[in-house]
Amino acid sequence: MQYYFGFSRRTKTYHRTHVASYLVCLLLSNVLQAIATIMNARWVEKGGVDNGGFCSFQGGLKNAANVGTALWTLILAFHVFNLLFLRWKTTRSSLIATLFGGWSFIFMIVSLGPSVIETPERGPYFGVSGAWCWITSAYGPEQTYMEYFFVS
């Protein structure tokens, strides 16, 4: 083993796994959550929350970030379990399929509300929900099944 300035030069075995890719997706979901939270500055400036395009965007972004954080945490946990206990080999194509499938699933969950579930009688799917925008209270069961279910 060679030493450079007191540190051994080892190969980084995690580079041969998909952990880094899944971790980046998890961190990206956390960044989306931070952006959606920073958007609350507009409501502070206005002194209240109101419906509109900005509110819908914030609600969709919060939904995507929360579902994404839950999903990528789950995928990361399964992957690490696979690496440590099952020792199954994973291929680059499985990584690409998981990344594509994961982000597609998140996009589907977020777009499902406004495109399929929303009705004129109940009002907008994403809108004012307390001190910020998210899935409105008119869609209580949807809040549970389209976000809380994944987060729990």
Side-chain angles (χ1 to χ4, degrees), residues 45-132:
E45 177 189 354
K46 290 181 85 171
V49 185
D50 57 346
N51 282 318
F54 187 84
C55 184
S56 294
F57 181 73
Q58 182 186 25
L61 198 59
K62 278 190 159 303
N63 191 211
N66 291 338
V67 171
T69 298
L71 180 67
W72 293 115
T73 301
L74 181 68
I75 289 171
L76 193 56
F78 280 145
H79 183 67
V80 170
F81 180 81
N82 176 41
L83 288 175
L84 296 177
F85 297 104
L86 302 178
R87 307 233 180 221
W88 291 346
K89 298 286 183 189
T90 51
T91 62
R92 184 160 179 83
S93 59
S94 69
L95 168 67
I96 293 168
T98 303
L99 293 176
F100 180 77
W103 286 112
S104 296
F105 179 76
I106 294 165
F107 180 76
M108 180 199 68
I109 290 296
V110 173
S111 63
L112 199 61
S115 63
V116 176
I117 299 171
E118 184 178 301
T119 62
E121 298 82 36
R122 293 165 72 185
Y125 185 78
F126 291 121
V128 177
S129 181
W132 55 74

Side-chain angles (χ1 to χ4, degrees), residues 23-39 61-62 64-66 68-69 103:
L23 185 60
V24 167
C25 290
L26 175 60
L27 294 175
L28 181 58
S29 294
N30 289 330
V31 167
L32 293 176
Q33 180 64 36
I35 291 168
T37 302
I38 290 170
M39 292 172 73
L61 198 59
K62 278 190 159 303
N66 291 338
T69 298
W103 286 112

